Amino acid sequence: MSQTLIIGAGITGAALAYQLYRRGQTATIVSTHAEGGLASAASFGWLNASYFLSRPHYHLRYQGLAAHRRLTAQLSGLPTTWPGCVWYEATGDAQAETAADLRALGYTVEALTKAQIAAKLPALGPVPETALHFPEEGVADPATLARALIAASGAKVIRATVQSLTSDHGKVIGALTDLGPLIADRVILATGTGTPALLQPLGLALPMLTRPGLMLTTNALPPICPVVLATPDQEVRQDAMGHLHAPASAGHQGDHAESLGSFPVVINATLQRLRGLFPGQEIHFGRQAMALRPVPGDGLPVVGQGPVPGLWLAVMHSGATLAPVVAEHLVDEIIGGVESPLLAEFRPTRFQ
């Protein structure tokens, strides 16, 4: 039986370990961070295909939603729900164009009037004239989901820092860690922003964008936000315990900021936007999580065979949406040797 070493214990590494287990393969996960990862623990967790950069990217994201549903059917108690999204980040003609584009792709889009929005979100203060409703969209806690998938996979987890990949006769055979060497038949990098440093000695430059993400969680509140809400100023969702989760940047999926600024200023501004959305609610700071989001240079996933035999890559944003489907198809490629058409546009070779 082949032995796979997965570097990275976030949602991507966890999904890979689970899919390997389903195919009768064993995996070892090595990670500097605890199970659940770093970027995964600071994720908004919005599962959607309404945001995409190209047609192949849309299809991958849409299949990501289906892959999440397969996981919830296979494993009970996963932290995945399907509340849908009310979206009005664009208005007027731009909103209508978004609706037309998504419908042309087969996405389910419902146009909401002001009265329908108010009925769906009674606590919303400034109610827009129109919005779009995406009923197929969902929410997951990627860190919690990662821990569940790792537990289900039975993968051995080693807390260690990988210093370099090791190779023999032109083939990657493992990794050197601060605890010593690890040997495997193949290595998969699910290492997010740490990937370029591991690839550089092998002669592959993987460009990554600097995209810091700050996620704010509030105190527990009464049920006021039953959907993912995407407005021009703020995206927000509410969990089962009543906490609001909000990225500190508006439209965080397409955010191009390379720095966050002063944390107190950013957090206070986010709280003010939330209070404006839900007037009359006692909204206060609960906690924060910050991480660099793993966004490749062109914004698209990097998935497939690495620059040398024995090495595979799985680096992407948003892993929350994409990790389950990427894991399904990449593991099929690794085990079966047949490349997936769904992943064809996202190969590492485009950067060589």
Side-chain angles (χ1 to χ4, degrees), residues 7-258:
I7 305 178
I11 182 58
T12 302
L16 288 162
Y18 177 69
Q19 293 302 331
L20 284 163
Y21 158 76
R22 282 178 54 82
R23 289 154 180 81
Q25 301 286 317
T26 60
T28 297
I29 299 173
V30 59
S31 175
T32 303
H33 308 289
E35 296 171 33
L38 193 61
S40 294
S43 170
F44 186 40
W46 177 13
L47 311 179
N48 73 80
S50 53
Y51 172 82
F52 59 93
L53 299 177
S54 65
R55 187 175 289 263
H57 192 216
Y58 165 81
H59 289 300
L60 183 64
R61 292 180 69 89
Y62 190 72
Q63 290 303 314
L65 302 184
H68 271 282
R69 288 187 167 89
R70 286 191 287 274
L71 286 181
T72 58
Q74 293 161 9
L75 298 170
S76 62
L78 294 185
T80 306
T81 57
W82 302 97
C85 171
V86 171
W87 183 93
Y88 54 97
E89 288 184 344
T91 59
D93 291 344
Q95 187 180 107
E97 182 178 352
T98 296
D101 290 345
L102 287 169
R103 287 181 179 129
L105 290 166
Y107 209 57
T108 304
V109 179
E110 300 170 356
L112 301 181
T113 65
K114 186 172 186 176
Q116 290 171 322
I117 300 165
K120 194 176 287 288
L121 289 154
L124 187 63
V127 179
E129 292 297 321
T130 61
L132 303 179
H133 180 223
F134 306 136
E136 297 178 88
E137 298 188 348
V139 167
D141 178 338
T144 302
L145 179 55
R147 289 189 286 270
L149 292 176
I150 291 171
S153 75
K156 179 181 180 181
V157 180
I158 299 173
R159 286 289 298 276
T161 298
V162 173
Q163 299 169 336
S164 63
L165 301 175
T166 54
S167 59
D168 182 48
H169 294 89
K171 181 181 185 295
V172 170
I173 60 167
L176 179 63
T177 78
D178 57 347
L179 298 181
L182 297 172
I183 304 300
D185 296 292
R186 65 179 73 94
V187 175
I188 310 176
L189 298 186
T191 38
T193 57
T195 309
L198 293 173
L199 291 178
Q200 192 275 332
L202 302 177
L204 178 64
L206 178 62
M208 297 287 287
L209 301 176
T210 303
R211 294 292 183 267
L214 177 64
M215 199 60 53
L216 181 147
T217 302
T218 71
N219 56 309
L221 297 159
I224 58 174
C225 189
V227 297
V228 177
L229 182 60
T231 83
D233 299 315
Q234 185 65 59
E235 295 167 354
V236 59
R237 66 176 180 87
Q238 189 171 25
D239 64 26
M241 302 300 293
H243 306 280
L244 297 179
H245 297 256
S249 59
H252 85 287
Q253 294 184 110
D255 179 39
H256 298 295
E258 294 190 353

Side-chain angles (χ1 to χ4, degrees), residues 245-282:
H245 297 256
S249 59
H252 85 287
Q253 294 184 110
D255 179 39
H256 298 295
E258 294 190 353
S259 62
L260 291 171
S262 166
F263 273 26
V265 171
V266 170
I267 290 170
N268 184 63
T270 306
L271 289 171
Q272 291 302 321
R273 292 195 297 270
L274 293 173
R275 291 164 184 156
L277 281 176
F278 302 108
Q281 301 293 327
E282 293 293 327

